[in-house]
Amino acid sequence: MTTNDSGGADVPKALTYGRYLRIDDLLALQQPRSDGPEHDELLFIVIHQVYELWFKELLHEIDFVKQLLGRDESSRAQHTLKRILTILKVAVSQIDILETMTPLEFLSFRARLEAASGFQSDQFRQIEFVLGRKTAAAIDRFPEGSRARAELQRRYAEPTLWDAFLHYLSREGYFVPPAHLARDLTAPIEPSTDVQRLLIDLYRRDAKNAELCERLVDLDEGMQEWRYRHVKMVERTIGAKTGTGGSGGASYLRTTLSQPLFPDLWEIRSQL
Ligand code: HEM
């Protein structure tokens, strides 16, 4: 409600595209730090902001898949996983855009980033946490009382997508060892021969749930693909230089490659 021009009774402002989407606020959020500013800094800011929006949407959808599995709504869970994978493909392909920025173009404003780095993206860490890759050290990097720290602490204690999946399989009649159903939710997801035995049986006789497993493999592969494309972009843009976030740069990022989120789903392939 707002006051009208004659100072009379409040009248509601009609909703418009701009008001609904807060376009004025959105367009005010890109604040280059370089002098000029340097031409390429706008692209750098926009692409990171777009990523953060996709991260937000991915978390929203992954949480929904967990809920749907909890309600045994597997076909809707599959449908939502398909959406997640489509977003992930778009997110991975956006790296192509940033790769049009040459090393010298990046250097024109890189020093202005100071210690800022994607390494500090709490939403990326939240995605890692909900997919089972949790570390207490990742929480400690965010200040006490911050939104980021509170979100990460919450997700650290919560079941991961894999936990939701194992509980769903148990309700579907598969024997999931009780130790897996009551596991320490903060611990990494370790390969398990018991779970692999169950999955091999499932793949051989349960097409519906085998499809669900395949979508989880797609998600795992999609995340690995993002990491691979990101490190290649880093190599071609800054070579072997250290990162603004203080790591060794590409050498650190290479240590994060080829680490599956759901190791059992990969392990069974050689046994099928
Ligand atoms: C020119 C483009 C880019 C360069 C040179 C670059 C460089 C780096 C480097 C060197 C690191 C390692 C941490 C550090 O020491 O800073 C890193 C981490 C990271 N970057 Fe980028 N980055 C770029 C674009 C992006 C984009 C567009 C995103 C999207 C959000 C992103 C997200 C991340 C994330 C999430 C990490 C943490 C990865 C992990 O710890 O596994 N980066 N980046």
Side-chain angles (χ1 to χ4, degrees), residues 5-6 11 42 44 48 55 76 82 124 205 209 221:
D5 289 347
S6 56
V11 289
L42 182 63
F44 190 77
H48 281 85
F55 290 164
R76 197 145 177 226
K82 185 92 180 72
F124 184 79
R205 65 181 179 86
N209 285 317
E221 196 174 339

Side-chain angles (χ1 to χ4, degrees), residues 245-265:
S247 81
S251 61
Y252 153 70
L253 293 167
R254 279 193 295 269
T255 67
T256 68
L257 298 179
S258 299
Q259 292 180 18
L261 294 165
F262 313 125
D264 290 326
L265 285 173

Side-chain angles (χ1 to χ4, degrees), residues 44 47-48 51-52 55 95 98 101 106 110 115-121 124-125 128 133 226-227 230 233-234 237-238 241-250 252-253 256:
F44 190 77
I47 208 144
H48 281 85
Y51 265 110
E52 287 297 330
F55 290 164
I95 288 181
L98 207 46
M101 184 177 68
F106 184 43
R110 187 182 189 221
S117 162
F119 195 62
Q120 296 151 350
S121 166
F124 184 79
R125 297 295 167 220
E128 288 192 319
R133 189 174 294 198
W226 185 86
R227 288 183 195 277
H230 174 261
M233 173 180 66
V234 170
T237 311
I238 61 167
K241 291 177 191 166
T242 53
T244 48
S247 81
Y252 153 70
L253 293 167
T256 68

Side-chain angles (χ1 to χ4, degrees), residues 11-272:
V11 289
K13 267 190 180 171
L15 189 63
T16 62
Y17 177 85
R19 274 196 210 103
Y20 179 57
L21 298 171
R22 311 268 306 264
I23 299 296
D24 289 347
D25 293 335
L26 188 64
L27 297 181
L29 294 176
Q30 295 71 43
Q31 302 281 343
R33 292 175 54 86
S34 58
D35 295 330
E38 291 295 340
H39 180 81
D40 285 57
E41 194 176 355
L42 182 63
L43 171 68
F44 190 77
I45 293 172
V46 166
I47 208 144
H48 281 85
Q49 290 182 341
V50 168
Y51 265 110
E52 287 297 330
L53 288 175
W54 281 132
F55 290 164
K56 181 174 184 171
E57 175 65 16
L58 283 170
L59 285 165
H60 183 61
E61 300 292 353
I62 296 168
D63 285 341
F64 192 43
V65 174
K66 278 174 59 187
Q67 277 176 35
L68 291 167
L69 288 173
R71 303 201 299 249
D72 299 327
E73 291 186 42
S74 66
S75 82
R76 197 145 177 226
Q78 266 213 56
H79 171 74
T80 308
L81 275 166
K82 185 92 180 72
R83 176 179 296 171
I84 290 170
L85 300 169
T86 311
I87 294 170
L88 205 50
K89 283 222 175 300
V90 168
V92 170
S93 70
Q94 283 176 23
I95 288 181
D96 290 346
I97 306 174
L98 207 46
E99 282 184 341
T100 64
M101 184 177 68
T102 67
L104 289 179
E105 283 165 344
F106 184 43
L107 278 177
S108 71
F109 62 90
R110 187 182 189 221
R112 298 307 189 101
L113 303 178
E114 298 175 11
S117 162
F119 195 62
Q120 296 151 350
S121 166
D122 73 277
Q123 290 203 107
F124 184 79
R125 297 295 167 220
Q126 287 189 53
I127 292 174
E128 288 192 319
F129 277 24
V130 73
L131 296 179
R133 189 174 294 198
K134 301 179 182 180
T135 61
I139 303 175
D140 292 338
R141 290 193 207 106
F142 295 92
E144 291 280 356
S146 62
R147 173 201 56 78
R149 193 179 174 103
E151 300 270 27
L152 282 168
Q153 275 170 334
R154 175 174 62 80
R155 290 197 183 275
Y156 191 64
E158 269 179 10
T160 68
L161 177 60
W162 184 247
D163 295 304
F165 181 61
L166 288 185
H167 280 265
Y168 160 78
L169 289 183
S170 160
R171 289 190 305 275
E172 284 281 283
Y174 290 96
F175 178 71
V176 181
H180 287 276
L181 296 175
R183 74 178 195 101
D184 171 5
L185 296 173
T186 66
I189 296 167
E190 300 288 358
S192 150
T193 48
D194 289 330
V195 174
Q196 287 162 29
R197 210 169 300 124
L198 166 176
L199 290 171
I200 290 168
D201 177 39
L202 178 156
Y203 264 77
R204 289 188 176 142
R205 65 181 179 86
D206 181 351
K208 178 190 81 171
N209 285 317
E211 274 300 304
L212 199 50
C213 290
E214 287 299 285
R215 297 296 76 76
L216 291 176
V217 175
D218 288 342
L219 175 57
D220 196 338
E221 196 174 339
M223 288 298 293
Q224 294 187 54
E225 198 183 339
W226 185 86
R227 288 183 195 277
Y228 174 78
R229 289 295 316 273
H230 174 261
V231 74
K232 285 291 147 195
M233 173 180 66
V234 170
E235 284 170 356
R236 68 185 281 173
T237 311
I238 61 167
K241 291 177 191 166
T242 53
T244 48
S247 81
S251 61
Y252 153 70
L253 293 167
R254 279 193 295 269
T255 67
T256 68
L257 298 179
S258 299
Q259 292 180 18
L261 294 165
F262 313 125
D264 290 326
L265 285 173
W266 295 92
E267 205 59 50
I268 57 167
R269 265 131 237 277
S270 41
Q271 300 168 51
L272 283 171

